[in-house]
Amino acid sequence: MASSADQQPPSRRAWGSLSQARIVAVALEIARTEGMEALTIRRLAADLGASRMALYRHVADKEALVDLVMNAIAEHDVVPPGIDEGPWPHRLRLLATAMRRQLAAYPGVVDVLMTRANHGPGALHLVETILAILADAGLDERQAARHYLIFIDLVLGRLHRELHGDPIAAHRTASLVALADKAGGHPRLRAAEPHLRAVSSEEIFEAELDMLIEAVKAAKS
């Protein structure tokens, strides 16, 4: 039988002890371990041991909470240390790899980014970092703007496909080969089959970055 102590409701925080920094830290932990779908004002209040009304003094609503979390990820996780050092191709690749890895660590974040913009200071720092790398590559403002958009599309698009239905996934290759077996013929597909199966998402990502880097080099020449 549960003791009276076990039946007590969770203790509430002392008045004035809640801060936006603490709210964001706990929200990030929920997003990292359970995904953005689990991040609600009710859940956050429970984890903080605070009332929802106490949270609303720091965060206006769920949309504002998501904005805070997205900004914190961009500000603290995405841009790696040493991003200002070394040749620009190395820096661009380093940033792309960090973005893909860190955004994947928060389930549901890339889905949010595909449907809404992140306009916080962390996002602005990320954009400025990308544009600075492209400027160091020798691109003018028009070229840098174009290749910035290509970079964002490449990184977010590849990650979104990896999480929600990658056209290079092994099961898609298997179904294609099975169809060829049933239809007969198609010698080139049969010869390519083992090589198609061997290609990983990581290799595709690196190859796409190679192509982007070559496109940047061509644009400045």
Side-chain angles (χ1 to χ4, degrees):
M1 185 175 195
S3 67
S4 58
D6 292 335
Q7 296 173 350
Q8 293 298 317
S11 60
R12 292 293 185 183
R13 283 179 169 269
W15 178 269
S17 66
L18 200 60
S19 68
Q20 190 175 91
R22 179 59 184 159
I23 290 170
V24 171
V26 174
L28 281 169
E29 184 61 22
I30 294 172
R32 184 184 296 109
T33 57
E34 299 180 45
M36 294 295 287
E37 287 289 329
L39 185 59
T40 65
I41 295 291
R42 181 186 297 274
R43 168 62 190 280
L44 186 57
D47 282 20
L48 284 163
S51 69
R52 281 180 286 169
M53 290 308 299
L55 256 68
Y56 286 130
R57 285 192 286 272
H58 297 272
V59 182
D61 52 26
K62 169 69 179 291
E63 294 296 301
L65 176 61
V66 170
D67 285 341
L68 286 172
V69 169
M70 300 297 286
N71 179 70
I73 293 170
E75 196 164 28
H76 302 297
D77 292 349
V78 171
V79 179
I83 196 61
D84 297 325
E85 303 170 2
W88 71 264
H90 165 76
R91 292 158 57 201
L92 194 66
R93 192 181 298 278
L94 185 67
L95 183 58
T97 301
M99 285 179 65
R100 177 168 170 256
R101 180 182 62 251
Q102 295 298 338
L103 293 178
Y106 294 87
V109 162
V110 71
D111 301 317
V112 176
L113 285 172
M114 297 297 277
T115 57
R116 61 186 281 179
N118 179 5
H119 296 306
L124 294 176
H125 174 58
L126 174 60
V127 174
E128 193 71 13
T129 300
I130 299 168
L131 290 173
I133 294 172
L134 294 171
D136 288 346
L139 300 187
D140 62 28
E141 292 177 356
R142 179 186 63 82
Q143 293 168 331
R146 180 173 182 270
H147 286 84
Y148 156 75
L149 292 175
I150 295 171
F151 175 88
I152 291 296
D153 186 72
L154 187 162
V155 176
L156 295 187
R158 172 101 301 269
L159 179 57
H160 191 266
R161 289 189 293 276
E162 289 170 2
L163 296 173
H164 294 289
D166 199 335
I168 73 155
H171 75 275
R172 294 179 64 127
T173 297
S175 64
L176 187 63
V177 170
L179 180 61
D181 286 341
K182 184 176 180 180
H186 305 90
R188 294 188 184 278
L189 175 55
R190 290 170 182 276
E193 176 190 355
H195 308 292
L196 291 172
R197 293 182 184 275
V199 176
S200 66
S201 294
E202 187 69 31
E203 288 178 274
I204 294 294
F205 180 63
E206 292 296 331
E208 288 173 342
L209 285 175
D210 288 340
M211 288 188 282
L212 174 59
I213 289 168
E214 290 304 315
V216 171
K217 291 177 180 177
K220 67 176 184 175
S221 61

